[in-house]
Each structure stands twice: as C-alpha cells, then as structure tokens.
Amino acid sequence: MAPATAETTEDVRRLHHRVREILADFNSSSVTAPWLMCDRHPEEQVAFRFVLEDLSEQTMTYGDLKARSERAAHVLAAHGVGVGDRVASLMGKGPDLPALILGIWRLGAVYLPLFTAFAASTVADRVAAAAVRVIVTDPDQAPKVAGLDCTVLLANLAQEYEADPSLSGFAPFVDGDVSLTVSAAVEGPAAALVHMFTSGTTGKPKAVVQPLAYVAGWQSYLELGLAPGDTFWCGADPGWAYGLYTSIIAPMTSCIPSIICCGAFKAETSWRVLETYGVTDFAAAPTVFRAMRGTDPNVELPRLRRLSSAGEPLTPDIGEWTRDRLGVDVHDHFGQTEVGMLAGFAHHPDLRRDPVAGAMGTALPGWKLTALMLAGDDIADPGEVGRLAVRVDSSPFFTFTGYGVDRDFRGSRFTDDGVHYLTGDLVSSDCTGLIRFSSRDDDVILMAGYRIGPFDVESVLVKHPAVAEAAVVASPDEVRGEVIHAFVVPTDPTLLGDPAAGQAMKTALQAWVKQNYGAHAYPRRITFIDSLPKTPSGKVQRSVLRKSLNFKQEVHK
C-alpha cells in the first residue's frame, strides 16, 4: 500500500470536513425534514425535472415544491393525519409524489412507500402491519386498496378525476381553506421519517423505521459516492429504498436537480432520455443496463460521464459492455435498507479508483467496514472470507437500532457485544480496503434490483390447490442477474410425467403469484419434484436445490 502524501492527506481532510458539515445539519435538535429538503433552498432553484412519456419536460422548483407540499399537508390534515401517523403512497413516478412525501413530513407524519407492482394482498399486509391511516393512490391502482381499513385518497394535486364516488381525492381540497391549523413537523434527528419493509428468508417482511438522521448518509453518498455533474438521473423505482433516497430524498437535501422519468420502465425510453436530455450521470440497477444492452439503438451519448449501479452484485459483463459501447466504466455500489449506502467505487475525485470486477468497492466516508471471521467475532485476515460488518461506534452515519415500530428488535443483526452490525453478506477484504463479494449468508433473492424473500413467494405458491410444498431459490439469469426459481411438489404426482400438463401448470402458478403477491416477483423458472430435500429437523435444504438437483421436469421461460 502506497504511503500517504501531503496531497492525499489534504483530500482526506476535505472529505471528513464535508461529512462533519452534513452531520451538523442533521444533528440540530430543531432540524426538520421540510427545512432540510426544501425550505432552506432558493425558491427559483429547480428541484426536479419530470420527463413525461412523450419526452416533454415539466420542471418543479423549490418554490413550487413548497407550495404543493403545503397543500398536500392541508389535505392530509383535513383527513385527520397528525404526528406519527402512517401515510402510504401507491403511485407511479410523477410530480405528485415528492409533493405528497414532503407534505406528510410537514405534519410530522411518517411515509410508507408501496411498490406499484405489488398485488392487492401484499399491499393489504403492509398497510395493516404499519397501521396506515391514509393511503394515496393513482386511479389505476385504486382497486388494490378497496376495502382497506384506512382512508383512501386519489392522487393528483392539479386535476380532477372521474372516479369511484366513495373515494376522495386531493383536488377538492386544493382551493379550499389553507388556513387550516396543522401539526408541525417533528424536530430533531431521531424524528421518524420513513416506514419500509425489508424481506428476509423466514417470517414476514420486517419493518424498518428510518429516522431523519438516516438521510445524512444518503446525502453523503449522493455528493461523494455519485458526485453528479450537470445532469443527474437515477432510474431506480422510488417504491424501494435505493430509488426513493437516490432519486428524491438525497437530491432534495443536497439541492441537486434530479430527473424523474414518468411511466413504467422501458429500455428504449431510457436510451432516448439519456440522449435527449444529455444526461451526464446515470444510476440504475444492473438489470437496467442489461435491458438497455439488448435494445441498443446505436445512438451516441457524448455527454455521459458517470455510470453507477446498485441493488444487486454487478457482473463483469456489464462493465465490459459499458466500457466498450459507451466508453464509461460502471461503478458498483453496495447498501441496505437498514443502514443506507455503505461501500462502492466512488466517483468523487478524492475517492475515485478504477472498478474491479467482482468487488463492491471500499467503505464510503462515514462508514467503517470490516470482515469478521465466520466463527467468532475476530477480524478476518486479508483475503479470508468473512462476514461483512459495520463498526457501529466508528460509523457516524449509522442509525439502525432494530426492526419494528419501536426499532428495538435486533434479531441476529449485531454481534453479542453490540460493536458490529452484520450485513448478512460474506466477503473478503484486502489491505487496501477493497471488498470482494463472496455470497450472501441468507437466501434473499436480488432480482433486477429488488430484494425478495423466498418466504413471501413460497407462502403464495402453497396456497394454490395444486401445490403441496414449494421452495424458492435464486437462479442466475443473463438479463436480471438472478431470477426466482421455484421447486414445487404437486398435489397430483401424475403431473411429474406429463410435460404438457406441467407447462400449463407453470403458467397458472406464475399468474397466481402475480395476482396474489406481485408482478415483479413471480417464478420465471419452475421445477416439479416429488419431494423437497430437508434436514432431520424438517428445514428445507436450499443449498441442495441450488446444486442442480436431479430434476424430474424443468420448464424455462
């Protein structure tokens, strides 16, 4: 390792100084989310550039955002929303979303994002678990929330909808009495901000309540990890942590204009947005880059300077393609819903190093990462595979204390002495701090940037009358990185020997999961078997399934 020079020492000082500045903004006892993310910024400064489906643009300044979020707050207050209440959104990307989110925080309420690909039952589970008071939804999503035990509002602060008369919308209140008294935003770094769910291998998804101080790490990640230049676009969906914080929350906090592409993801549209708007900085999941590779229109992107990837491990082929086709390396980054963005190949000139295939980069400023031995909590030797851990007392951006509303269920996330938080990933680290990903020590599936717990999909599959048992594992896929591969024990054993019936059942089971869980999380591959491999105690041995079980029948998409 090269010795530190006066220049590199000064670089480190600058980075630490910026980290201290960010933390100082968040650590004030009187700080609020609306002030950090909107009210302190110049009213004329552009906050968001919304690209509509015809590629036209609608800009939103901080003055616009302030006015629209205040109207949203009054609408919510009129429906009884106050401090600590949960307000959910089931909305696509568009101008209403950041206005709603900021309006929620103006009341001291807590925001719950919901992914629009979720099935009605999945939405209902999360709404009930979080005790949501109000849910705001697009009209096309409204059928999913019918009958829920909460107030349902149709989204749009600007226009009326012809809709179910039993549903209320924002529009009737926009021109109403804006002098309505509302509760103030909750002050201080510990104020509850976002209520999300993260999936594990067993049990139901766990609640993660993120405080205002959690945003500090994301602001640092945006400014130092991504270091965007002229035109920044994060293509991740805001229904998930990476998209929410990288495309909406961190840009608002940093006063960095953010492009938001409205409508459903289309690879062809992504190419056109990059070209039309001269994007210089683009962040997305690896699956987006794979999809774009398959729809390359051979356009030139001379302004593109920085590419970033997060959500799942980046395979070397994507880096090779972006380098050959675009002349730009894609930098991999690593984070978690619980803690934020921890590591990566940063773009900031004081941190930049060339990406290394198979590596997740180095710890970002504000984080102290290490690999603990697989047995015991001692530090693993350089190059030795161990458990990726965060040194809590040396990571000023660390805010996670536990799962649940009270943030007190620690589970197995911490070492016994509480010194380290365990990410659940197996890695090795060299003497320069470069971290190489080995594997996950749980069975969570990372597909197209989405974190999917096998239990969620298995629970839906076994409800089908044709399924006796089911187990789900990750299967490598060229486009999505990983896809869901379901091993199913059918109630009718004759299905094992009938390829035509097997194909029909595969289609039926895929539709069943789409309908009852989510369109993003259905099994792309299904194998029918006569029994699942299990331990003596009855636990399914997914490792055996992953080692190419002697399949009775395999049907690929």
Side-chain angles (χ1 to χ4, degrees):
M1 184 175 179
T5 64
E7 182 180 0
T8 59
T9 301
E10 182 58 31
D11 293 343
V12 171
R13 287 198 188 102
R14 284 197 299 266
L15 295 172
H16 285 306
H17 178 69
R18 183 55 189 145
V19 167
R20 288 194 296 271
E21 286 181 329
I22 293 172
L23 288 167
D25 284 341
F26 282 84
N27 286 339
S28 168
S29 60
S30 61
V31 70
T32 67
W35 180 82
L36 278 171
M37 301 180 197
C38 179
D39 299 351
R40 65 172 173 165
H41 301 319
E43 289 192 354
E44 69 278 7
Q45 173 67 40
V46 172
F48 296 102
R49 302 172 64 188
F50 296 97
V51 178
L52 307 182
E53 295 192 46
D54 62 359
L55 293 190
S56 63
E57 179 182 4
Q58 178 180 340
T59 61
M60 177 183 287
T61 66
Y62 282 100
D64 299 330
L65 179 60
K66 185 175 188 294
R68 296 186 72 166
S69 63
E70 287 174 344
R71 293 201 299 270
H74 281 86
V75 172
L76 295 172
H79 287 277
V81 173
V83 173
D85 286 332
R86 269 50 177 174
V87 179
S89 75
L90 187 62
M91 301 164 58
K93 295 170 286 186
D96 289 334
L97 188 56
L100 169 66
I101 295 170
L102 199 59
I104 292 169
W105 294 335
R106 290 192 183 280
L107 300 176
V110 181
Y111 174 55
L112 177 75
L114 293 170
F115 186 39
T116 53
F118 279 151
S121 58
T122 308
V123 171
D125 287 345
R126 283 158 170 74
V127 168
V132 168
R133 185 181 185 99
V134 172
I135 183 167
V136 183
T137 181
D138 289 333
D140 62 345
Q141 295 284 329
K144 294 181 182 178
V145 299
L148 296 184
D149 186 20
C150 63
T151 299
V152 175
L153 300 178
L154 291 180
N156 197 289
L157 304 181
Q159 67 184 59
E160 299 277 2
Y161 282 111
E162 292 183 5
D164 183 341
S166 67
L167 300 176
S168 299
F170 275 110
F173 297 92
V174 169
D175 299 321
D177 181 13
V178 295
S179 65
L180 176 68
T181 301
V182 299
S183 53
V186 177
E187 298 178 340
L193 199 72
V194 176
H195 189 140
M196 304 192 84
F197 289 90
T198 184
S199 296
T201 58
T202 60
K204 291 187 175 182
K206 297 181 289 294
V208 179
V209 180
Q210 296 150 345
L212 179 57
Y214 173 81
V215 179
W218 285 95
Q219 181 179 350
S220 179
Y221 166 66
L222 179 67
E223 294 183 11
L224 304 180
L226 296 176
D230 295 336
T231 309
F232 170 68
W233 176 29
C234 173
D237 194 286
W240 301 87
Y242 187 68
L244 174 63
Y245 285 94
T246 308
S247 69
I248 295 179
I249 295 179
M252 287 196 300
T253 309
S254 299
C255 199
I256 293 175
S258 175
I259 287 178
I260 294 182
C261 190
C262 305
F265 167 76
K266 296 178 182 177
E268 298 87 348
T269 301
S270 296
W271 280 107
R272 295 176 65 197
V273 172
L274 291 170
E275 179 187 27
T276 303
Y277 287 89
V279 173
T280 59
D281 298 76
F282 181 51
T287 187
V288 170
F289 294 110
R290 294 189 187 99
M292 291 177 62
R293 180 176 59 183
T295 58
D296 188 349
N298 295 317
V299 298
E300 296 300 321
L301 303 175
R303 287 177 51 82
L304 191 62
R305 294 290 181 270
R306 285 166 289 272
L307 293 173
S308 304
S309 174
E312 59 185 290
L314 183 70
T315 51
D317 60 302
I318 298 301
E320 293 172 1
W321 172 71
T322 63
R323 193 177 308 114
D324 294 342
R325 170 62 178 88
L326 304 172
V328 181
D329 282 315
V330 57
H331 288 218
D332 199 10
H333 298 142
F334 169 79
Q336 288 189 326
T337 300
E338 290 89 340
V339 291
M341 298 302 292
L342 305 172
F345 291 98
H347 289 285
H348 192 280
D350 294 341
L351 293 168
R352 184 182 172 91
R353 65 185 293 175
D354 292 335
V356 177
M360 60 174 60
T362 58
L364 294 173
W367 298 99
K368 176 67 174 178
L369 304 183
T370 190
L372 300 180
M373 296 177 64
L374 297 179
D377 295 335
D378 293 329
I379 305 298
D381 291 332
E384 178 185 358
V385 173
R387 296 167 294 153
L388 182 61
V390 180
R391 175 84 186 199
V392 174
D393 60 0
S394 301
S395 300
F397 289 135
F398 186 85
T399 61
F400 182 77
T401 57
Y403 298 102
V405 174
D406 297 324
R407 304 177 62 217
D408 58 0
F409 174 64
R410 294 162 65 91
S412 59
R413 280 303 193 184
F414 293 84
T415 53
D416 291 340
D417 57 12
V419 172
H420 289 97
Y421 165 86
L422 303 171
T423 69
D425 296 275
L426 301 183
V427 302
S428 63
S429 179
D430 66 18
C431 59
T432 70
L434 182 67
I435 304 168
R436 295 179 182 274
F437 179 77
S438 176
S439 65
R440 292 184 299 278
D441 65 356
D442 60 19
D443 295 307
V444 170
I445 300 167
L446 293 175
M447 186 187 72
Y450 303 129
R451 187 177 173 89
I452 302 167
F455 177 83
D456 298 330
V457 183
E458 291 165 0
S459 297
V460 173
L461 282 170
V462 297
K463 290 180 180 179
H464 193 284
V467 176
E469 288 186 291
V472 165
V473 299
S475 179
D477 181 80
E478 182 179 351
V479 174
R480 300 175 180 87
E482 291 180 348
V483 294
I484 298 172
H485 191 142
F487 291 83
V488 173
V489 179
T491 54
D492 180 5
T494 63
L495 192 68
L496 298 172
D498 188 339
Q503 178 61 48
M505 182 54 62
K506 173 204 169 182
T507 302
L509 292 178
Q510 289 174 328
W512 175 264
V513 175
K514 289 180 183 179
Q515 178 182 355
N516 292 284
Y517 180 62
H520 69 299
Y522 72 92
R524 260 84 175 175
R525 298 171 185 167
I526 295 177
T527 297
F528 295 102
I529 54 178
D530 55 8
S531 64
L532 296 175
K534 297 179 181 179
T535 65
S537 63
K539 294 181 180 178
V540 175
Q541 295 178 300
R542 291 187 178 84
S543 61
V544 175
L545 295 176
R546 285 191 288 261
K547 290 179 180 177
S548 300
L549 193 65
N550 290 324
F551 300 150
K552 302 296 182 180
Q553 176 182 350
E554 182 173 358
V555 183
H556 292 282
K557 181 179 179 181

